[in-house]
Amino acid sequence: MTLHNDKLTVFIGSYAEADNSGVYRYEFDTAEGTLTLKEQASGLKNPTFLNVDAAKNRLYAIAEGADAEGAKVGDAVAFSIEGSNLAQLNRKLAITAPSCHIQRDADSEFVLLCSYHGGRISLVSLSDNGEIGEILDIQQHEGSGPHPNQKTPHPHSTNFSPDGKYIFVPDLGIDRIVAYTLDKENRKLVRHGETAVQPGAGPRHMTFHPNGQFAFVINELDSTIISFRYDAEKGALEAVQTVPTLPEGFAEANGTAEIAISEDGRFLYGSNRGHDSLAVFAVDAESGQLTLVGHVSTEGKHPRHFALVPGGQFAITANKDTNNVAVFRISESGMPVYTGYSIEISQPVCVIPVQL
């Protein structure tokens, strides 16, 4: 893609108390590879995950709320992006348990939230002006898995298929990727099917190949990535290959987090928390097979999230436990190379670079 200028916007969500800043807006200079703080928003407790509607200049965040009995629930918050400013449009209850992820459909009619602790996902309407509307549907998952962290269901993300027809929900607690369709007429989620992964894997996040023929799921508990052939007609996933995200011989505790694919589909990246690295794989666009290129330190501890910057030249890692965000240049081999540039942010969890 051709960038309109050498400035991009980077939004960052974090763990934060409501009276501290939790959502940040930075300007990213693609010539220098530097970040300049433009705006920060407070008033939200743990706005850990974000979604950006670049076409309509909207930002959506999750935040921790409480119900009448004082139990934790998940709110969704809508912001208008005006110049460098973030103006809160509204905030509403969006899921009946704390949430960990927010996604939006391509037409900006709905947002979807995941509750890891509640084992459920919700469908929430968006108004024409981008405000959070009503909870339309809640789907509760059931089951468990063999790992100590799998006593209950833990849906961790919602992912639209490239054509928008299906929604795939990796559930870490039940070792399933549950598929839904979105019945827009009745404004409901309809269970479509599910794909089982190896017991104890703990599927977490997911990405699709730009060619639409493959999907890749990163498994938090057994530190693997599964590549799937994607049947767009049936909305079905068929496993092709499973690869480890850790180098041979690494025996310490590790949990994976984010997964992302390059714009040209040549390279796939996954983050390791424990090994504190990005695992880099070359992708065969014909077969979906992955070949390890190497590992690179994320220049901090507990890379809960990372992002590839539009244009394909940079990656940015969010290291929660060392309170820093680090910038990397992507080399010809696909390997990120640390630029030496890092900024301090308290407990960063989600980083979204976008061309506005």
Side-chain angles (χ1 to χ4, degrees):
M1 69 178 271
T2 307
L3 298 180
H4 307 305
N5 54 38
D6 58 359
K7 300 287 196 296
L8 284 166
T9 299
V10 175
F11 293 99
I12 297 174
S14 66
Y15 279 110
E17 293 302 322
D19 51 2
N20 295 332
S21 294
V23 176
Y24 303 85
R25 178 182 179 171
Y26 284 84
E27 185 179 85
F28 184 69
D29 187 320
T30 55
E32 301 296 324
T34 54
L35 291 155
T36 305
L37 182 62
K38 291 294 184 182
E39 172 79 304
Q40 45 197 327
S42 59
L44 310 182
K45 184 176 171 71
N46 297 334
T48 52
F49 218 86
L50 310 174
N51 179 276
V52 180
D53 185 346
K56 296 189 175 177
N57 285 326
R58 299 280 185 263
L59 171 72
Y60 298 98
I62 59 172
E64 202 174 286
D67 65 14
E69 282 76 50
K72 289 179 184 177
V73 294
D75 291 348
V77 189
F79 291 91
S80 169
I81 304 163
E82 300 163 1
S84 288
N85 298 327
L86 286 174
Q88 187 171 313
L89 292 173
N90 79 327
R91 171 179 180 162
K92 286 182 88 164
L93 172 69
I95 194 165
T96 53
S99 67
C100 63
H101 191 272
I102 186 167
Q103 180 63 274
R104 177 181 44 83
D105 74 309
D107 297 326
S108 298
E109 294 177 46
F110 307 97
V111 287
L112 290 146
L113 279 80
C114 277
S115 174
Y116 175 94
H117 293 290
R120 64 197 69 140
I121 64 170
S122 68
L123 177 70
V124 181
S125 64
L126 289 176
S127 70
D128 291 343
N129 70 348
E131 290 187 2
I132 308 296
E134 306 304 318
I135 297 176
L136 303 171
D137 193 15
I138 289 182
Q139 293 283 331
Q140 179 70 46
H141 289 189
E142 303 293 340
S144 59
H147 190 279
N149 292 5
Q150 293 180 310
K151 291 186 171 58
T152 58
H154 295 309
H156 218 306
S157 61
T158 54
N159 306 270
F160 280 92
S161 59
D163 61 11
K165 275 170 48 180
Y166 300 99
I167 299 157
F168 291 93
V169 184
D171 191 314
L172 181 149
I174 61 175
D175 293 322
R176 296 280 189 281
I177 301 154
V178 183
Y180 292 90
T181 56
L182 176 49
D183 178 348
K184 288 194 172 184
E185 198 179 333
N186 296 304
R187 304 188 355 145
K188 296 277 182 231
L189 293 166
V190 179
R191 191 99 168 215
H192 174 70
E194 57 180 50
T195 306
V197 301
Q198 63 271 20
R204 178 184 168 103
H205 283 190
M206 180 177 188
T207 191
F208 282 87
H209 194 284
N211 68 15
Q213 293 173 29
F214 303 99
F216 307 93
V217 172
I218 195 161
N219 299 302
E220 178 176 328
L221 300 178
D222 73 355
S223 298
T224 61
I225 290 172
I226 309 174
S227 55
F228 293 94
R229 188 171 290 282
Y230 174 57
D231 184 329
E233 217 163 286
K234 295 179 182 165
L237 299 168
E238 181 194 350
V240 171
Q241 182 193 25
T242 303
V243 296
T245 63
L246 291 169
E248 257 181 80
F250 183 82
E252 293 164 52
N254 188 75
T256 66
E258 178 61 338
I259 187 168
I261 194 163
S262 60
E263 289 172 358
D264 60 12
R266 290 174 57 213
F267 299 103
L268 184 74
Y269 302 82
S271 68
N272 285 305
R273 299 173 294 174
H275 189 246
D276 296 328
S277 64
L278 294 182
V280 185
F281 299 89
V283 183
D284 184 320
E286 298 297 311
S287 67
Q289 295 268 348
L290 302 175
T291 306
L292 181 69
V293 178
H295 295 82
V296 63
S297 165
T298 58
E299 299 298 330
K301 285 190 162 51
H302 200 92
R304 176 76 180 260
H305 200 260
F306 69 91
L308 304 174
V309 174
Q313 295 174 308
F314 292 93
I316 301 174
T317 60
N319 298 303
K320 182 180 79 72
D321 289 1
T322 40
N323 305 309
N324 76 305
V325 167
V327 178
F328 298 76
R329 279 189 189 273
I330 308 283
S331 68
E332 277 298 305
S333 69
M335 285 295 286
V337 178
Y338 182 46
T339 62
Y341 184 81
S342 171
I343 59 168
E344 194 176 315
I345 291 185
S346 178
Q347 298 190 83
V349 174
C350 179
V351 53
I352 301 183
V354 63
Q355 179 86 54
L356 292 176

